[in-house]
Amino acid sequence: MEVNKANSTPVPLVNAAVDTRPHVAPELTQAVKAVNGAKLFGQDSELSFLMDRESKRFVVRLVDKSTGKVIRQIPAATILSQAAGLQKA
């Protein structure tokens, strides 16, 4: 008796976890580490890149390492919220 090949094909699980994180080029990660290592923004500050969940845009932040407070953000939070509002309209 032959086995039907269609029935032996693995089927992906419906509940399988999908990686939704954006792909970040290794060069970008290396550049951020180099900037932070050189302490270009001071001893207590570090540069970080992230993606805003609402607008799906990349954000650059300068953060105080000791307090976690955002010193500067590009684009500004107000711009991101306006962009998210425009996408919903």
Side-chain angles (χ1 to χ4, degrees), residues 11-28:
V11 177
L13 297 174
V14 174
N15 294 337
V18 177
D19 188 5
T20 58
R21 295 177 293 178
H23 174 72
V24 177
E27 294 85 8
L28 178 60

Side-chain angles (χ1 to χ4, degrees), residues 20-77:
T20 58
R21 295 177 293 178
H23 174 72
V24 177
E27 294 85 8
L28 178 60
T29 303
Q30 186 177 13
V32 171
K33 286 181 180 180
V35 167
N36 287 334
K39 300 189 184 347
L40 293 176
F41 296 102
Q43 293 282 83
D44 299 325
S45 301
E46 72 179 2
L47 193 63
S48 67
F49 286 80
L50 58 117
M51 180 175 277
D52 180 63
R53 290 182 184 193
E54 297 251 342
S55 66
K56 307 286 190 264
R57 297 175 189 267
F58 283 101
V59 176
V60 180
R61 286 183 177 168
L62 183 60
V63 179
D64 184 321
K65 290 193 293 188
S66 59
T67 64
K69 183 179 176 183
V70 177
I71 300 167
R72 175 112 172 146
Q73 176 176 307
I74 302 170

